[in-house]
Amino acid sequence: MKQPNKIIVIGMGFVGLTLAIFLTSKKFNVIGVDTDQNKLNTLLQGSTPFYEPGLESALKSSLKKYLSFTNNLSSVDAADIVFVTVGTPPMRDGSIDLRYIKSSTKQISEWCNNNHIQPVIVYKSTILPGTFENVIKPILKSLSENTTVNPEFLREGSALQDTIHPHVIVIGGKEKPALSLKRFYQKIYEQKIPIKTTSATNAELIKYANNSFLAAKISFINTIANICQRFPDSNVDDVAEVIGLDPRIGNLFLKAGPGYGGSCFPKDVQALLSLTKNLGTGSDFLNAIHKTNKQQAEMVLKLITKQVKSLKNSNISILGLAFKENSDDIRESVSISLIEKLLTKKVNVRVHDPRAIDNAKSVFNNKVMYCTDVSDCLRSSDCAVLLTSWKQYLSLGKEFSKMRNPILIDTRRLLANKKLPVKYVGLGIGNEIVS
Ligand code: NAD
């Protein structure tokens, strides 16, 4: 592949938009394609449809020169590379929904055939082992010879930085397109990044193995946290700190909490689990990661019911709605499922989040009270539950004195070392016994 002039990115979500903006910073002409015209209208006005640090200002610079959008691939005449970054959401039973992969692949196939072109096609969407071979290849036919599987590892909350500084690049597929893509990446990244070329199936599996392993670490440390909870002089962070010093374990992803959420870990663990079922084996291990995570949300509810004797008509304040800090994404957020449970118990729920209030409104409408100020959220409350590690919450203190019944359940132990005018219950700190 010669130095590419024009690059198409299909799907303007977290992955596609971040990639498109990054590529324009490297002076490529990028066309972002998305079927959602509302999203494109927002982008054309220089706003991102979701919050990611640094992304909106980068979008504004890109729009001035190298970035354009369309909802119709056939309006573009040609391109050297086509990146596919459409969603692969879960079905009700946890298996993967490939409808966007199938529809975008059909569109690419027709577009290439009509224009007599053979760009390098790159699948960045997370797809299960066998998807390239059994689903994509039959649609692309001869175009599949020029196609690679190149999973994405960015994290929401640091999507742009992770795209600028990836820790690894994995390229699966035939040698010719894989080498072309490898050379492309080697040119655009100034720093040396490990690039692994491998089979398409390995590339597909690497992404699921990676996410499932990280999810396993979280479910493991949450299990330890629940043991700590039962011993009055125990603290999960002390345990995590020391086991993290063992180089065979490492200190990342050992932060106990209310359970993992977001658009990736829950769906990827369940999709891999459902693949093992289709393969006839199933997996007790993957099932345990998933079940442990679900139980952790129940543990938060137990901590609340231990403190608030009668939930009916009580006032409970939720601090943090996004599944993680620096993001407004509430997909599979534990806060959302917890609020749903509290509402069924006739609790008056007040919520605060620095970024995710608008997204929560589309779920709860007028069923909860939305607060832009933490003090308002805590006023007359019977219990506050901190669920997201927003750095704004680190400075909280006197705000808790507004509560009717000052109890804080801190699922992230953000405020464990502060003197607060509140009864402090830290998840994984054994000062409260929950049986
Ligand atoms: P998203 O849901 O935010 O965005 C997907 C976009 O694709 C949507 O805007 C949708 O309108 C668009 N789309 C669907 N069908 C289309 C079509 N035929 N043509 C054009 N556009 C179409 O998804 P995302 O979070 O960016 O994730 C994309 C993929 O990357 C998924 O497979 C996901 O698992 C994976 N991934 C996501 C992350 C993450 O943190 N979000 C990280 C790594 C990998």
Side-chain angles (χ1 to χ4, degrees):
M1 178 174 59
K2 59 180 185 352
Q3 175 73 353
N5 284 322
K6 209 191 279 180
I7 296 175
I8 287 178
V9 181
I10 299 188
M12 287 291 97
F14 288 85
V15 172
L17 181 62
T18 311
L19 174 70
I21 289 173
F22 168 66
L23 292 174
T24 61
S25 76
K26 297 288 174 187
K27 303 195 171 28
F28 295 106
N29 288 307
V30 179
I31 302 160
V33 182
D34 203 293
T35 43
D36 182 344
Q37 186 58 46
N38 289 335
K39 197 174 247 188
L40 298 184
N41 292 342
T42 306
L43 290 169
L44 284 166
Q45 285 163 11
S47 303
T48 52
F50 48 82
Y51 173 70
E52 265 300 324
L55 202 62
E56 197 157 276
S57 62
L59 168 69
K60 288 191 169 82
S61 322
S62 303
L63 279 173
K64 284 189 195 132
K65 216 161 175 192
Y66 297 105
L67 183 59
S68 59
F69 298 109
T70 178
N71 64 7
N72 184 4
L73 180 61
S74 57
S75 67
V76 186
D77 57 353
D80 302 294
I81 311 182
V82 178
F83 286 99
V84 182
T85 71
V86 298
T88 47
M91 308 266 243
R92 262 176 191 281
D93 64 356
S95 62
I96 184 170
D97 182 350
L98 287 175
R99 87 177 88 157
Y100 305 114
I101 289 288
K102 286 180 188 162
S103 63
S104 56
T105 303
K106 276 185 199 134
Q107 286 154 5
I108 295 167
S109 171
E110 280 167 23
W111 173 73
C112 288
N113 292 331
N114 290 342
N115 291 287
H116 310 290
I117 50 172
Q118 273 223 330
V120 175
I121 304 168
V122 183
Y123 283 83
K124 290 197 82 64
S125 300
T126 302
I127 45 176
L128 280 168
T131 307
F132 174 69
E133 203 54 38
N134 303 323
V135 179
I136 294 172
K137 222 167 144 181
I139 302 175
L140 288 180
K141 298 195 174 80
S142 66
L143 291 165
S144 67
E145 296 292 314
N146 226 18
T147 300
T148 63
V149 175
N150 171 217
E152 177 56 57
F153 295 93
L154 66 75
R155 297 160 298 172
E156 286 183 27
S158 54
L160 190 54
Q161 282 311 310
D162 289 351
T163 305
I164 297 169
H165 305 287
H167 70 280
V168 70
I169 293 172
V170 177
I171 304 172
K174 288 261 165 79
E175 197 177 340
K176 186 173 151 259
L179 278 180
S180 295
L181 190 62
K182 182 175 177 176
R183 281 192 210 105
F184 169 74
Y185 280 131
Q186 282 169 333
K187 275 198 189 120
I188 61 174
Y189 283 114
E190 285 129 32
Q191 73 273 39
K192 213 172 155 32
I193 292 159
I195 300 183
K196 172 78 182 167
T197 50
T198 183
S199 69
T201 310
N202 274 346
E204 291 166 327
L205 185 53
I206 284 166
K207 174 68 189 172
Y208 281 94
N210 200 108
N211 272 3
S212 300
F213 191 83
L214 294 174
K217 275 186 108 174
I218 297 173
S219 280
F220 172 79
I221 201 66
N222 284 340
T223 303
I224 300 297
N226 298 345
I227 295 171
C228 291
Q229 199 86 51
R230 303 296 297 268
F231 290 90
D233 58 349
S234 186
N235 185 329
V236 67
D237 285 332
D238 292 343
V239 178
E241 183 192 338
V242 178
I243 65 169
L245 291 174
D246 185 330
R248 293 167 301 178
I249 296 176
N251 61 359
L252 298 177
F253 276 77
L254 288 181
K255 277 259 165 248
Y260 57 76
S263 68
C264 290
F265 288 178
K267 95 168 162 67
D268 292 350
V269 171
Q270 286 183 83
L272 194 57
L273 178 59
S274 100
L275 175 76
T276 63
K277 286 179 187 157
N278 289 342
L279 295 174
T281 55
S283 163
D284 290 345
F285 180 67
L286 292 171
N287 197 31
I289 299 170
H290 173 61
K291 262 178 98 175
T292 305
N293 196 52
K294 288 272 163 226
Q295 284 162 1
Q296 197 62 5
E298 292 294 332
M299 172 56 77
V300 179
L301 190 60
K302 269 189 183 175
L303 287 172
I304 298 172
T305 44
K306 175 105 201 315
Q307 299 302 326
V308 183
K309 296 289 173 273
S310 161
L311 280 180
K312 195 172 173 190
N313 296 326
S314 66
N315 297 332
I316 294 190
S317 311
I318 301 294
L319 301 180
L321 298 165
F323 83 98
K324 68 184 287 196
E325 67 281 14
N326 295 328
S327 172
D328 62 357
D329 198 346
I330 58 167
R331 287 179 285 181
E332 298 283 330
S333 169
V334 175
S335 304
I336 301 306
S337 56
L338 179 67
I339 294 168
E340 277 161 357
K341 286 183 191 123
L342 293 174
L343 289 174
T344 63
K345 296 181 188 302
K346 308 260 185 289
V347 170
N348 302 314
V349 180
R350 292 179 184 198
V351 301
H352 174 273
D353 189 285
R355 294 278 175 187
I357 291 279
D358 283 348
N359 285 338
K361 282 182 180 167
S362 63
V363 178
F364 295 115
N365 299 308
N366 58 0
K367 291 189 195 129
V368 303
M369 187 192 280
Y370 304 95
C371 306
T372 49
D373 188 86
V374 178
S375 294
D376 291 341
C377 188
L378 295 176
R379 189 164 292 123
S380 308
S381 176
D382 296 306
C383 178
V385 191
L386 194 159
L387 287 144
T388 314
S389 300
W390 283 105
K391 82 171 183 298
Q392 289 88 324
Y393 294 156
L394 280 169
S395 59
L396 290 179
K398 61 180 181 343
E399 292 84 349
F400 291 106
S401 53
K402 309 254 179 229
M403 296 176 74
R404 178 163 71 187
N405 188 19
I407 297 170
L408 170 63
I409 295 173
D410 184 355
T411 69
R412 306 284 183 174
R413 298 165 309 288
L414 267 197
L415 300 171
N417 298 321
K418 277 187 96 173
K419 272 208 170 338
L420 300 168
V422 72
K423 177 177 179 190
Y424 183 84
V425 181
L427 186 149
I429 300 179
N431 53 2
E432 277 299 315
I433 313 270
V434 178
S435 51

